[in-house]
Amino acid sequence: MRLFLASNIGGIKKENGKKVPVSFFENNNFLKNMKESINDYDKFVIIASDADNYEQNDYYLKLDMDVLAMSGINFKENVVLDNRNKDDIVNVLKTSSLIFLSGGDTLKQNIFFNEINLKEYIKNIDACIVGISAGAINSAKIVFNSPEEEKDLTNPSILEGLDLTTINVEPHFDCDKISKIQMDAILKESNNRVIYGLPDKSYIFNNKVYGKCYRVYKENIELISNDDEAVEVY
C-alpha cells in the first residue's frame, strides 16, 4: 500500500459554472509521485463519500476517468464502490491499482466505511491509495472530525477510522479563512494529538509532507514547510 493524504489534488476547474476536467496538480510533484506509486493499470476504484447518491457517484467516476486520461493514466476497469455493490466489496477491491477515498461529508463517509468494514478489506490491498479531504481525514486510526459550523457541534468529533495511518490532517487549512468555531476545536484537540494543517495542493506521502504545511500541537500553530519543499512528519 502506498498512501497519499491530500487536501485538493486538482483535476477540476470551473468554466461558466460547470466542472471541467483538467490534469491533476503537478505542484509539489503530486502527479509524478502518484504515477510512480501505481504498479499496474488493472483497476481504478472510487470509494464514495455519499453511498446513496448514485447519480453523483457515477458522475464523479466519469469525471475522474477523464482527468486520469488527461494526466496520462488509463485503467482497464473503473468502478465506484457505494451501496449498490458494497456486498461485493472483496471483488470490487480485488486487483485494484489505484483507490480514491473521496472528499465530501467526513461523518457520512465514516459511517459508510465502518458499515462495510472497509478497514479490514483495505489494509492488505497492494494499491496506491489517495485520501482526498474527507478521505484523508478518515484514513487515520483515530479520526478527528473538526466542526466547521455551529450545527456541526452536535456531531461526534472523534471517530474510528481506517487505521491506514496514525497521522491526523486538517485539509484546506487556511488560517485567514477558517471559522472561529473550527479553529477553536482544532486548537483544543491539539492538546491530545498533532494535527497537520494541509492547504490545497499540499499532501503527505511516505511520512513526508510535500508543500506548505502547518503543525498544530498544544495549541501552537507552526509552519513546518513551504511549497516545493518536502519535510518528514511523524
Side-chain angles (χ1 to χ4, degrees):
M1 178 187 68
R2 281 78 61 200
L3 177 66
F4 290 78
L5 304 175
S7 184
N8 179 352
I9 62 174
I12 297 172
K13 70 175 182 178
K14 284 194 174 182
E15 288 185 356
N16 300 319
K18 293 184 178 181
K19 293 179 180 178
V20 177
V22 294
S23 177
F24 291 119
F25 288 142
E26 295 188 37
N27 306 68
N28 301 307
N29 288 322
F30 172 74
L31 181 56
K32 176 179 179 290
N33 284 334
M34 185 177 73
K35 279 184 172 181
E36 291 177 353
S37 300
I38 299 171
N39 288 342
D40 56 57
Y41 297 93
D42 286 341
K43 186 188 292 184
F44 168 57
V45 179
I46 295 178
I47 303 181
S49 55
D50 188 345
D52 290 318
N53 198 335
Y54 304 147
E55 183 177 351
Q56 174 182 279
N57 296 341
D58 290 342
Y59 168 75
Y60 278 113
L61 176 63
K62 175 61 170 63
L63 190 61
D64 279 339
M65 287 168 60
D66 290 341
V67 176
L68 285 164
M70 289 181 175
S71 305
I73 306 171
N74 292 279
F75 291 91
K76 297 174 185 175
E77 188 178 357
N78 302 273
V79 184
V80 61
L81 176 63
D82 56 22
N83 276 336
R84 290 171 292 185
N85 56 357
K86 65 182 181 182
D87 292 335
D88 196 32
I89 185 172
V90 172
N91 287 323
V92 171
L93 295 181
K94 188 178 180 180
T95 71
S96 55
S97 312
L98 175 65
I99 298 173
F100 278 4
L101 305 174
S102 301
D105 186 310
T106 303
L107 178 58
K108 184 179 289 187
Q109 182 186 69
N110 184 274
I111 291 170
F112 176 58
F113 284 2
N114 281 292
E115 176 189 316
I116 64 175
N117 200 19
L118 180 61
K119 177 169 70 173
E120 293 305 312
Y121 293 108
I122 202 171
K123 63 183 179 181
N124 295 318
I125 296 291
D126 183 23
C128 173
I129 300 175
V130 182
I132 305 164
S133 192
I137 295 172
N138 278 319
S139 294
K141 180 177 183 178
I142 299 173
V143 171
F144 170 58
N145 180 30
S146 64
E148 297 180 20
E149 306 173 48
E150 189 170 351
K151 66 180 178 62
D152 299 325
L153 293 173
T154 57
N155 294 331
S157 60
I158 301 299
L159 308 167
E160 179 184 350
L162 294 178
D163 197 11
L164 299 177
T165 180
T166 57
I167 295 173
N168 290 99
V169 299
E170 189 63 51
H172 318 297
F173 194 81
D174 186 331
C175 295
D176 295 327
K177 294 182 179 180
I178 195 168
S179 70
K180 185 178 186 302
I181 287 174
Q182 190 169 20
M183 182 60 84
D184 286 349
I186 292 169
L187 291 174
K188 182 179 179 181
E189 185 58 30
S190 74
N191 289 300
N192 301 320
R193 70 192 73 251
V194 174
I195 300 169
Y196 290 98
L198 290 177
D200 289 349
K201 301 182 182 179
S202 298
Y203 62 97
I204 294 174
F205 172 58
N206 278 350
N207 291 321
K208 282 187 178 180
V209 59
Y210 291 78
K212 191 174 185 179
C213 180
Y214 296 87
R215 185 176 186 267
V216 188
Y217 188 54
K218 300 295 183 185
E219 301 192 24
N220 179 59
I221 302 174
E222 176 189 6
L223 179 66
I224 61 170
S225 61
N226 281 297
D227 284 331
D228 300 317
E229 292 182 347
V231 175
E232 288 193 10
V233 296
Y234 52 88

